[in-house]
Amino acid sequence: MTEFKDQDLAAARFERSSLREAVFHDVDLRGARFDNVNLNGATIRGAALNDVSLDGDIRNLRVWGVDVVPLIDAELNRRHPGREKMRPADADGYREAWELLERLWRETVERARQLPPELLHESVDGEWSFIETQRHLVFATDAWVRRTVLGDPAPWDPLDLPHDEMHDVPPVPRDRAVRPSLDEVLVLRADRMQTVRDVFAELTDERLSEMTVPATEPGYPASQSYQVSECLGCILGEEWEHRTYAERDLAVLRVESGGS
């Protein structure tokens, strides 16, 4: 076991490192940033947690013994009407959720078009730019709908953008340097959204419980069977969350560009 005692590790960077079962005692973590970390099973006691921001896949989070996730979930649903529809129980619910997402994205894209085009390539607080977000959603559809549900083993477009935490998996493309125009990437988005619309149009309650046939070639996700509802639920979640992030960042960019 490595022990750090009375050490100054300020501004240290830990990337793809394991701190599993590590013990932090009397440690100063002010201003620390944790991105894509696995804190499952973590216990935090005697902490000063003022002005802390926490988001991610959060379940069974107990604060002073109370599971606060249902409370937060209800508040988010109140703030963002329609969010509760992103966990449908039947085929009609998936169709309703997708119709809402398409309408919301049309509104978001119109707001994006009001900004100078170069700002759509700008990152806010280290997050994806608006155009990178569109590219990632193309990737998500290719991965979870075209590859997994529809069985295309290699559905990728050169503009697909996987999540940063994913290791390179040939033949999945990953080009962070390319700068397509908004119109160019929206052509891809329109095509992929039509694909999802077609899948939902034919969706049945029975199909949701079926397992997919594993892809025959390497790619993402891994070549194994998935429940159809898991794949389509992933798409709803990706579309909803990334639109929320996009709206947040567009608001910042509007202020920076002199808008209101």
Side-chain angles (χ1 to χ4, degrees):
M1 181 182 71
T2 303
E3 181 172 305
F4 299 94
K5 190 173 183 179
D6 297 323
Q7 299 280 329
D8 185 354
L9 298 177
R13 183 179 183 90
F14 299 90
E15 188 168 349
R16 292 181 180 170
S17 302
S18 175
L19 295 174
R20 206 176 326 179
E21 299 182 7
V23 176
F24 299 88
H25 176 72
D26 197 14
V27 173
D28 186 350
L29 291 171
R30 285 176 294 177
R33 177 164 180 157
F34 301 86
D35 291 318
N36 192 43
V37 294
N38 187 339
L39 291 171
N40 291 339
T43 299
I44 303 174
R45 295 193 180 103
L49 283 172
N50 300 306
D51 302 319
V52 173
S53 176
L54 178 64
D55 64 62
D57 182 8
I58 303 171
R59 309 175 200 180
N60 194 28
L61 172 63
R62 297 186 177 273
V63 180
W64 294 316
V66 177
D67 184 1
V68 299
V69 173
L71 307 177
I72 296 170
D73 200 46
E75 174 61 15
L76 287 173
N77 288 344
R78 185 190 69 81
R79 293 186 183 187
H80 306 287
R83 180 178 178 272
E84 73 283 355
K85 298 182 185 297
M86 297 303 118
R87 299 172 187 170
D90 54 29
D92 286 339
Y94 279 87
R95 283 185 277 273
E96 183 181 8
W98 188 251
E99 182 179 347
L100 173 62
L101 282 166
E102 290 208 77
R103 177 174 61 78
L104 292 174
W105 267 118
R106 284 194 295 269
E107 296 170 0
T108 298
V109 168
E110 284 307 308
R111 281 188 276 276
R113 289 191 182 278
Q114 296 169 14
L115 292 173
E118 62 272 13
L119 287 185
L120 301 183
H121 291 285
E122 291 295 319
S123 168
V124 175
D125 195 25
E127 301 292 342
W128 277 333
S129 70
F130 187 81
I131 287 179
E132 286 173 330
T133 295
Q134 303 307 304
R135 293 175 56 198
H136 175 68
L137 291 172
V138 171
F139 163 77
T141 304
D142 284 348
W144 290 105
V145 178
R146 299 178 76 204
R147 172 177 164 87
T148 309
V149 175
L150 297 179
D152 183 345
W156 322 112
D157 185 273
L159 288 179
D160 277 21
L161 184 61
H163 43 290
D164 291 340
E165 300 78 23
M166 186 183 110
H167 294 279
D168 287 337
V169 182
V172 183
R174 186 201 302 272
D175 188 348
R176 290 297 299 270
V178 67
R179 290 171 65 91
S181 68
L182 178 61
D183 286 336
E184 184 179 357
V185 80
L186 287 180
V187 169
L188 280 175
R189 278 284 281 150
D191 176 78
R192 299 316 194 264
M193 294 180 90
Q194 180 65 56
T195 296
V196 179
R197 191 182 310 123
D198 291 343
V199 168
F200 284 165
E202 299 178 358
L203 190 63
T204 63
D205 293 347
E206 293 74 21
R207 176 64 171 146
L208 285 169
S209 61
E210 293 178 3
M211 302 298 292
T212 64
V213 177
T216 57
E217 297 180 12
Y220 181 90
S223 297
Q224 62 188 59
S225 291
Y226 301 88
Q227 192 163 353
V228 170
S229 61
E230 175 187 359
C231 302
L232 300 182
C234 179
I235 286 299
L236 295 183
E238 287 278 306
E239 293 279 352
W240 180 270
E241 295 299 334
H242 282 290
R243 180 189 167 272
T244 301
Y245 304 150
E247 286 284 345
R248 174 199 64 197
D249 294 346
L250 287 174
V252 173
L253 295 172
R254 279 196 295 273
V255 172
E256 290 181 357
S257 67
S260 58

